[in-house]
Amino acid sequence: MNPATNIRWTTADLKLFPDDGNRYEIIDGELLVSKAPHWKHQEICVKIGTQLELWSSRSNTGKVAFAPGIIFTEADNVIPDVVWASHQRLAAILDDAGHLTDAPELVIEVLSPGEIQEKRDRQLKLKLYSIQGVQEYWIIDPQKQQVEIYRRENAVLKLAATLYKEDELYSPLLPDFSCSVARIFN
């Protein structure tokens, strides 16, 4: 038996890790470490984040953030790629240290290559975001050039649509927001 497998990591433990360019997250007490994202990954985050920011500025309904920390619990501390929160929700969930302490309305993850990273975003984070009350979760897949939209239905995030390059991305959560899926990948 490996004693390291019995360790339950907490938010306090994250303060002990070096600032070495790795991303340290905890889901259900399990430590997840990933390398700094690839250039294309970051470029996609900027493109979708910019579209959301332009819409948010026009509609004056909320704010966009890139890679914010979300401290759901002592055992659930993650860093999604992009989030959007309404002004009202943000006022309720942002702590004095500048961290989110509860679910924003929208969370976006851009898949990184590799089975472990895909499992993290498609299974572990999907479950966590569902339990914590995220209203919509978008998984952007750069390899397949598609966007999976999960929406809250009966208190669970369920796949509502899979969009491809020729499709238009919109959301009932974001009135009058639309973006060509192709724009995210070009």
Side-chain angles (χ1 to χ4, degrees), residues 55 59 61 84 171-178:
W55 171 81
S59 64
T61 54
W84 179 85
S171 168
L173 182 67
L174 312 168
D176 298 322
F177 171 83
S178 70

Side-chain angles (χ1 to χ4, degrees), residues 39-180:
W39 176 274
K40 185 68 177 171
H41 178 280
Q42 294 299 83
E43 187 177 52
I44 290 169
C45 290
V46 168
K47 287 181 179 181
I48 190 63
T50 299
Q51 293 302 308
L52 285 166
E53 177 59 31
L54 290 169
W55 171 81
S56 289
S57 292
R58 282 192 312 270
S59 64
N60 194 29
T61 54
K63 297 277 185 185
V64 177
F66 294 95
I70 305 178
I71 305 168
F72 289 118
T73 69
E74 283 301 308
D76 293 303
N77 187 327
V78 293
I79 306 170
D81 291 318
V82 181
V83 302
W84 179 85
S86 66
H87 292 302
Q88 180 180 1
R89 184 79 180 137
L90 194 57
I93 66 174
L94 195 62
D95 70 11
D96 292 338
H99 295 106
L100 299 174
T101 58
D102 207 344
E105 286 96 335
L106 172 64
V107 174
I108 302 168
E109 296 284 3
V110 177
L111 292 180
S112 294
E115 188 178 321
I116 292 171
Q117 287 78 7
E118 189 166 336
K119 178 183 176 191
R120 179 194 62 219
D121 290 345
R122 291 190 185 278
Q123 295 176 21
L124 298 175
K125 285 190 172 182
L126 174 61
K127 181 180 176 183
L128 176 66
Y129 296 150
S130 189
I131 289 168
Q132 295 298 331
V134 169
Q135 296 300 303
E136 281 194 24
Y137 178 40
W138 300 353
I139 298 176
I140 299 176
D141 187 334
Q143 299 297 327
K144 295 180 181 175
Q145 296 197 343
Q146 69 182 30
V147 180
E148 294 173 2
I149 308 293
Y150 292 83
R151 290 195 177 110
R152 182 159 293 285
E153 181 182 313
N154 298 323
V156 177
L157 287 171
K158 292 187 178 180
L159 183 63
T162 301
L163 306 177
Y164 302 93
K165 284 185 81 169
E166 61 275 4
D167 294 323
E168 195 74 15
L169 174 58
Y170 67 92
S171 168
L173 182 67
L174 312 168
D176 298 322
F177 171 83
S178 70
C179 171
S180 162

Side-chain angles (χ1 to χ4, degrees), residues 3-14 17 24-33 70-78 120 124-125 127-128 131-132:
T5 60
N6 294 328
I7 295 174
R8 284 197 46 88
W9 298 90
T10 68
T11 296
D13 294 322
L14 292 178
F17 288 101
Y24 297 95
E25 299 177 292
I26 300 170
I27 297 178
D28 194 24
E30 180 183 345
L31 179 65
L32 305 169
V33 182
I70 305 178
I71 305 168
F72 289 118
T73 69
E74 283 301 308
D76 293 303
N77 187 327
V78 293
R120 179 194 62 219
L124 298 175
K125 285 190 172 182
K127 181 180 176 183
L128 176 66
I131 289 168
Q132 295 298 331

